[in-house]
Amino acid sequence: VQLQASGGGLVQAGGSLRLSCSASGIIPSIDNMGWYRQAPGRQRELVAIISSDGSTNSTDSVKGRFTISGDVAKNTVHLQMNSLKAEDTAVYYCNAQDHFSVDYEGSVSAHTFDYWGQGTLVTVSS
């Protein structure tokens, strides 16, 4: 599976950007797609996620400003980012998750496999 993200760039504080991501290749049954970001010197964090049933969730710092949309069944996800702040500056990564179970001699265990895009840089100037 290859995830191709696009839409990053340089924008002034208060501006907007739209990120898009699509998956290609031999695609298993994807359960969630989402966006993570990593700012310099910080750990990668979840920004927003959309599930196969269309439900969404996002981190508190972007609620009311960022909107995730897409169609997990079609392996596409978008992130509309409005009212951008300098602290939103980061490399944004597209993510797709495949949840699956393994039955080994009657013992079932749950697993998650993560697919990652190459990252797209969002820079917000203050």
Side-chain angles (χ1 to χ4, degrees):
V1 177
Q2 292 84 41
L3 298 178
Q4 185 65 41
S6 62
L10 173 65
V11 64
Q12 290 187 332
S16 299
L17 283 174
R18 179 178 170 87
L19 305 183
S20 294
C21 176
S22 61
S24 61
I26 300 174
I27 301 172
S29 176
I30 297 297
D31 297 288
N32 303 309
M33 293 190 75
W35 293 94
Y36 288 70
R37 66 185 179 185
Q38 187 168 18
R42 303 190 67 174
Q43 289 187 330
R44 190 174 297 188
E45 63 170 351
L46 173 66
V47 177
I49 190 168
I50 183 168
S51 298
S52 55
D53 63 1
S55 60
T56 64
N57 200 2
S58 60
T59 190
D60 287 345
S61 63
V62 307
K63 286 184 189 297
R65 301 188 298 122
F66 291 11
T67 302
I68 189 169
S69 63
D71 189 334
V72 175
K74 296 182 179 179
N75 303 305
T76 60
V77 64
H78 311 282
L79 185 68
Q80 179 66 42
M81 305 185 293
N82 299 327
S83 302
L84 282 160
K85 304 176 181 180
E87 51 263 43
D88 295 318
T89 295
V91 177
Y92 284 70
Y93 296 91
C94 177
N95 169 268
Q97 288 186 331
D98 176 20
H99 301 310
F100 60 96
S101 299
V102 175
D103 186 343
Y104 179 71
E105 297 183 341
S107 176
V108 179
S109 57
H111 301 268
T112 297
F113 193 89
D114 285 288
Y115 300 92
W116 295 98
Q118 81 282 10
T120 184
L121 177 62
V122 172
T123 303
V124 184
S125 63
S126 57

